[in-house]
Amino acid sequence: MSTTDVPLYQPEWLELREGADAAARAGELLGPLREWLAETGPRTGGLVIHDLGCGTGSMGRWLAPQLPGPQRWVLYDRDPALLGRAAARAPEAAADGGRVTVATRRGDLARLTADELAGASLVTASALLDVLTRDELDALVSACVGAGCPALLALSVVGRVELAPADPLDVELAEAFNAHQRRGGLLGPDAVAVASDAFARRGAVVRVRDSPWRLGADESALTAQWLRGWAEAACEQRPDLAARAEGYVRRRLAECAAGALRVVVHHSDLLALPPAGGFATGGVR
């Protein structure tokens, strides 16, 4: 994840998916997070939340209004244009009306250290883990553990999609897409399992919950854009699929336009909490 001017995601795509992301995120993880934050006691100046790979800031817009007290969000992204959008659209108030402020940092998340996270109340990210390598994820986990702060890491792909009505090419495209997600040593669909193990080995208490997109007629624009990108990535991985995929995408887009296509894109959300006595023993729940 080197620093570069080339954005990993286009802002139009991030904005198109924001509603589906908000509906999918595992809200049941907020209870344990709020409890942990309350048990650690009030912090001078309120919560300090580091949002990694913030994109247009959708995680902050979803999460800040659900946590109480003043909040300072530190937004990280390698794309300065996305950082500007995220800062401009940051929420103004917490759940209890507390003030929310933001700061931005452009840089390489692979070099994030515990020192940079010193004083953090929470580290969060959305759709990030699956585009990391094992070494990058290990460094991220080490930084969070070293800083003694929780991590809420949402919407990582897990390699399963369901399309209805079914088509004979669904499985083949899904397998090719998953292989594409693992290209160049990226973790792709394995990211949540690898992250869970990495946090648990360092003593964190880990909770993982499903966070699927459920796309129907009301999300036809998102479904169509997802479908094109999904098939394109699959064909990039396996060029021999291209001829069959062309007709497949045409049929699927027609179904989508008619409101007849239903898609479930499976993700997982992960919450890693430092145990009450510090990092010594942990596990996955």
Side-chain angles (χ1 to χ4, degrees):
M1 295 184 66
S2 59
T3 304
T4 175
D5 291 329
V6 179
L8 188 61
Y9 298 113
Q10 295 298 323
E12 295 79 12
W13 166 247
L14 297 175
E15 290 172 0
L16 185 61
R17 64 177 285 173
E18 183 165 349
D21 285 351
R25 288 190 181 99
E28 64 265 34
L29 293 178
L30 295 183
L33 175 60
R34 291 190 194 101
E35 290 174 9
W36 190 92
L37 292 172
E39 288 171 1
T40 59
R43 296 168 182 255
T44 303
L47 300 176
V48 178
I49 301 171
H50 292 248
D51 186 9
L52 310 183
C54 67
T56 60
S58 64
M59 177 60 108
R61 289 189 289 276
W62 177 79
L63 182 58
Q66 303 196 64
L67 297 177
Q71 299 171 30
R72 180 174 183 266
W73 282 70
V74 183
L75 309 179
Y76 295 74
D77 207 282
R78 68 187 194 178
D79 180 5
L82 289 179
L83 282 173
R85 284 178 181 244
R89 298 178 57 198
E92 296 181 353
D96 57 359
R99 187 181 178 210
V100 176
T101 61
V102 300
T104 61
R105 293 184 186 174
R106 184 187 178 207
D108 188 347
L109 298 184
R111 296 192 178 98
L112 191 68
T113 66
D115 287 343
E116 291 180 78
L117 297 179
S121 310
L122 173 66
V123 169
T124 190
S126 189
L128 175 67
L129 292 185
D130 42 71
V131 296
L132 300 180
T133 65
R134 187 177 293 268
D135 287 346
E136 289 169 343
L137 187 145
D138 203 60
L140 170 60
V141 171
S142 293
C144 293
V145 170
C149 64
L152 178 63
L153 307 169
L155 295 168
S156 300
V157 297
V158 294
R160 291 189 295 122
V161 298
E162 301 170 31
L163 297 96
D167 185 282
L169 202 53
D170 290 348
V171 172
E172 211 167 349
L173 284 170
E175 290 174 348
F177 176 82
N178 289 343
H180 184 269
Q181 292 295 96
R182 296 183 174 103
R183 70 196 184 284
L186 300 180
L187 288 169
D190 307 316
V192 173
V194 173
S196 297
D197 179 65
F199 274 112
R201 282 189 288 104
R202 290 169 170 84
V205 177
V206 181
R207 291 176 171 85
V208 176
R209 298 292 183 269
D210 295 335
S211 53
W213 278 356
R214 300 186 184 278
L215 308 180
D218 292 341
E219 297 81 23
S220 60
L222 175 60
T223 304
Q225 190 73 2
W226 169 84
L227 180 68
R228 293 187 187 98
W230 183 68
E232 182 180 345
C235 292
E236 184 177 316
Q237 182 69 26
R238 278 191 53 191
D240 61 293
L241 290 173
R244 286 181 291 155
E246 183 177 353
Y248 172 94
V249 170
R250 194 163 48 243
R251 292 193 304 273
R252 287 305 203 186
L253 289 176
E255 292 170 346
C256 183
L261 181 64
R262 301 291 183 271
V263 179
V264 180
V265 182
H266 289 273
H267 308 92
S268 287
D269 289 7
L270 181 153
L271 174 66
L273 297 174
F279 279 98
T281 59
V284 181
R285 299 181 184 178

